[in-house]
């Protein structure tokens, strides 16, 4: 009896096909969040001894959306979302470069405006490079672990999938991003760098953990409204 039961193959995990407007909305929000995070990340932020960047409050939202997409649509769709999001981020960075390169007015206001633009969005291409490598690696690991765990547990233990994938994905993401972006935001010594990495990792992971109930509700909401989730 036990042998017969153990020989029965496990049912394939459920995923929805991309045919409803929900995926498009989440993809658009993810792209906007990442683009705004890239701009904010060019500013170093200090809360006393805690060092972070101006995009700290936005970036976790992109990972939460990544969890929803991975859980509902699967790894292949999540990978397409990551690639699309970064293609749009690169496009935004190229637009910033063109805007800065265009000849401006040579009066005092025009000169001040040009300097402000260079200071605000000039470093963004390096931030985008950091994001391209970090977010791609981190989100890919996050999505892969979540989907692999779902293949074993089915619809059960969603919270465990989110927590496990978040820890791995956020650590890889934070380490790669901070290593490339640190010099852009003014981090020059090893102590500040370690602070930057640890604060970023702990903050992002903690936010994802705190938002697990919201993420779970969002996943359940989308699953119920996706006609192809069967």
């Amino acid at each position: 009896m036990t042998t017969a039961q153990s020989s029965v193959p496990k049912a394939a995990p459920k995923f929805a096909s991309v045919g409803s407007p929900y995926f498009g909305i989440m993809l658009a929000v993810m792209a906007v969040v990442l683009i705004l995070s890239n701009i904010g990340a060019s500013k170093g932020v200090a809360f006393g001894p805690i060092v972070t960047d101006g995009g700290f409050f936005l970036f976790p939202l992109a990972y939460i959306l990544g969890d929803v997409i991975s859980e509902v649509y699967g790894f292949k769709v999540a990978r397409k979302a990551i690639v699309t999001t970064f293609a749009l981020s690169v496009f935004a960075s190229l637009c910033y470069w063109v805007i800065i390169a265009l000849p401006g007015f040579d009066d005092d206001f025009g000169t001040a405006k040009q300097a402000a633009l260079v200071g605000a969005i000039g470093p963004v291409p390096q931030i985008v490079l950091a994001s391209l490598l970090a977010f791609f690696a981190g989100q890919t690991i996050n999505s892969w672990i979540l989907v692999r765990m779902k293949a074993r547990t089915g619809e059960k233990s969603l919270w465990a999938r989110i927590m496990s994938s978040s820890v791995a994905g956020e650590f890889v993401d934070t380490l790669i991003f901070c290593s490339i972006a640190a010099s852009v935001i003014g981090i020059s010594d090893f102590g500040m760098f370690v602070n930057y990495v640890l604060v970023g990792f702990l903050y992002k992971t903690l936010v994802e953990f705190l938002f697990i109930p919201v993420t779970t509700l969002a996943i359940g909401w989308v699953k119920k409204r996706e006609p192809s989730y069967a």
Side-chain angles (χ1 to χ4, degrees):
M1 181 68 176
T2 305
T3 305
Q5 288 180 344
S6 62
S7 63
V8 176
K10 294 181 179 180
K14 301 175 183 178
F15 295 111
S17 60
V18 182
S20 72
Y22 301 113
F23 172 73
I25 293 171
M26 287 187 286
L27 176 60
V29 174
M30 182 185 289
V32 171
V33 166
L34 183 61
I35 290 171
L36 292 177
S37 296
N38 289 340
I39 297 174
S42 63
K43 176 181 178 179
V45 175
F47 295 102
I50 298 175
V51 178
T52 182
D53 58 62
F56 78 96
F57 66 97
L58 279 169
F59 199 75
L61 179 57
Y63 261 82
I64 292 171
L65 289 169
D67 286 338
V68 177
I69 292 174
S70 299
E71 173 69 21
V72 177
Y73 300 99
F75 180 71
K76 290 183 179 180
V77 174
R79 186 172 56 189
K80 289 180 181 179
I82 296 168
V83 172
T84 302
T85 298
F86 277 110
L88 293 173
S89 185
V90 170
F91 175 71
S93 184
L94 291 174
C95 289
Y96 302 150
W97 179 80
V98 172
I99 292 169
I100 291 174
L102 289 172
F105 298 154
D106 56 3
D107 57 5
D108 291 341
F109 178 78
T111 302
K113 192 73 172 180
Q114 177 70 9
L117 282 171
V118 172
I121 62 178
V124 166
Q126 187 170 338
I127 298 294
V128 171
L129 174 61
S131 294
L132 281 170
L133 298 177
F135 192 69
F136 183 84
Q139 272 283 20
T140 300
I141 291 173
N142 178 75
S143 177
W144 184 82
I145 291 176
L146 192 149
V147 172
R148 290 285 293 180
M149 290 183 68
K150 184 175 181 179
R152 294 185 177 183
T153 62
E155 296 296 311
K156 300 177 181 179
S157 303
L158 175 58
W159 63 272
R161 294 198 294 276
I162 295 174
M163 292 181 70
S164 300
S165 61
S166 296
V167 169
E170 291 288 11
F171 179 75
V172 172
D173 180 288
T174 305
L175 182 61
I176 295 175
F177 179 83
C178 292
S179 299
I180 299 174
S183 62
V184 177
I185 68 170
I187 294 177
S188 56
D189 62 75
F190 184 72
M192 289 183 66
F193 174 76
V194 172
N195 187 322
Y196 187 34
V197 172
L198 290 178
V199 169
F201 169 66
L202 293 175
Y203 166 76
K204 293 172 186 176
T205 305
L206 179 61
V207 168
E208 284 212 55
F209 284 4
L210 291 176
F211 273 83
I212 282 178
V214 178
T215 305
T216 302
L217 289 174
I219 288 172
W221 190 90
V222 176
K223 283 180 177 178
K224 290 179 181 179
R225 285 160 179 77
E226 275 290 3
S228 59
Y229 194 86

